[in-house]
Amino acid sequence: MPVIAVFCGARTGTDPRYLLAARALGQALAERAWPLVYGGGRLGLMGALAQGALDAGGHVTGVIPGFLSSLEVRQPGLQTHHTVTDLFARKALMIELADAFVALPGGIGTLDELLEVMAWRQLGCFDKPVALLNTARYFDPWRVMLAQAVDEGFVDPLETDRLLVADEVDGLLAALERAFSASAPARDGA
């Protein structure tokens, strides 16, 4: 069963659909018995995601920097919890633990995490699926910027073509299942 790392906001955002989608994704991962790895917080979309998975009986691993854990923002009830030194260590451990990455709406930290995994994949450090849950078309302006980078010759179109994008949780998980099926022989032989 694949481990899914999810990057998302520590805030809820202005559209209530973001919170609903985060909770639904956590629940859907648990229903598939796909373990969740996320930033370890209890606030915002992070908290809704984790609580959705926990309420549905899923396995949730939190990875949180010590300075955030000490502010008492850590999600209670996680089966596995890692406290790391900083945000760099958080990303590194999440990348190590995960078989795929999903970004939900979020701010600068979420975009940083998303771009980091895209960069690592582009450089051949791994070949794991990267996906966007494009709730309420949140990522549309960002995707326009990526298309501009492709048009200007700064990004290989293969990188944007490989990015899995879905507006709904079911579509996102179906895209991930197809990606895992397509790479199964390579993963088994690795």
Side-chain angles (χ1 to χ4, degrees):
M1 68 192 111
V3 177
I4 310 298
V6 178
F7 308 127
C8 58
R11 298 178 183 184
T12 59
T14 58
D15 191 324
R17 292 178 287 182
Y18 302 148
L19 197 63
L20 294 173
R23 186 167 183 77
L25 178 60
Q27 179 180 348
L29 291 173
E31 289 169 354
R32 284 172 176 73
W34 289 5
L36 166 65
V37 174
Y38 84 114
R42 65 172 169 79
L43 303 176
L45 300 188
M46 276 200 275
L49 170 76
Q51 198 60 55
L54 291 169
D55 289 348
H59 188 277
V60 181
T61 297
V63 182
I64 193 166
F67 74 92
L68 290 177
S69 185
S70 66
L71 295 175
E72 300 186 71
V73 297
R74 186 168 64 104
Q75 174 75 24
L78 303 180
Q79 290 89 349
T80 308
H81 170 76
H82 300 279
T83 301
V84 295
T85 55
D86 55 35
L87 294 170
F88 299 109
R90 173 198 255 177
K91 283 188 290 189
L93 184 54
M94 290 177 72
I95 289 168
E96 179 185 328
L97 295 173
D99 297 307
F101 308 94
V102 175
L104 276 62
I108 293 168
T110 302
L111 294 173
D112 170 64
E113 292 162 335
L114 173 60
L115 284 169
E116 179 111 8
V117 295
M118 289 180 71
W120 283 39
R121 185 172 71 175
Q122 174 185 293
L123 294 170
C125 297
F126 58 71
D127 189 21
K128 301 175 183 182
V130 178
L132 303 175
L133 183 55
N134 196 22
T135 305
R137 304 179 66 97
Y138 178 81
F139 286 105
D140 283 0
W142 185 79
R143 293 176 67 206
V144 169
M145 179 59 221
L146 270 183
Q148 176 70 18
V150 169
D151 291 345
E152 297 294 332
F154 291 106
V155 174
D156 187 319
L158 174 64
E159 294 310 315
T160 56
D161 292 346
R162 291 175 22 159
L163 187 62
L164 305 174
V165 181
D167 297 335
E168 301 292 334
V169 169
D170 289 342
L172 178 89
L173 295 180
L176 285 172
E177 287 172 343
R178 287 190 298 274
F180 292 136
S181 293
S183 67
R187 289 176 57 191
D188 291 342

